[in-house]
Amino acid sequence: QWRLVESGGGLVQPGGSLRLSCAPSGFTLVDSAIGWFRQVPGREREGVSCISKDGSTRNYSESVKGRFTISRDNDKNMAYLQMNSLKPEDTAVYYCAADRRIMKGFCPVREEWYAFKGQGTQVTVSS
């Protein structure tokens, strides 16, 4: 069964950093666009960032631009979200998602474009 597994979440103080990882099981990320999303209980899931299958395009939501960096390592079949200068409002469950159908050079920061999604990892930013 194809699935995605996120890791790297945890509790961090404001201003701190975390790196989230996304690992596929049963398939390769090499030919997939990858997205990161987050959700706070009681609110809709929010798009955070995405990277195209060829790595040429990276998009970020305005709320994380300049603080978060998305990357992929095709040799390791992994994707990452480096989160710096974390704020309490970044507290959420973070999910990665992937889809092969998204064309090269393009990636939408919209969840409905992605067929495969993980179970999420909790990120809590608090002093």
Side-chain angles (χ1 to χ4, degrees), residues 31-86:
D31 56 354
S32 297
I34 299 161
W36 283 96
F37 303 86
R38 66 186 182 185
Q39 189 168 25
V40 175
R43 297 175 62 179
E44 290 188 359
R45 198 169 293 191
E46 172 192 9
V48 175
S49 182
C50 66
I51 185 168
S52 59
K53 63 174 66 178
D54 60 355
S56 65
T57 300
R58 306 180 193 201
N59 293 316
Y60 299 92
S61 66
E62 286 300 318
S63 60
V64 307
K65 196 173 293 184
R67 299 188 297 122
F68 290 12
T69 302
I70 191 171
S71 63
R72 62 190 303 152
D73 186 332
N74 287 341
D75 291 338
K76 295 183 178 179
N77 199 25
M78 295 285 292
Y80 305 98
L81 185 68
Q82 178 67 42
M83 307 186 296
N84 298 330
S85 302
L86 282 161

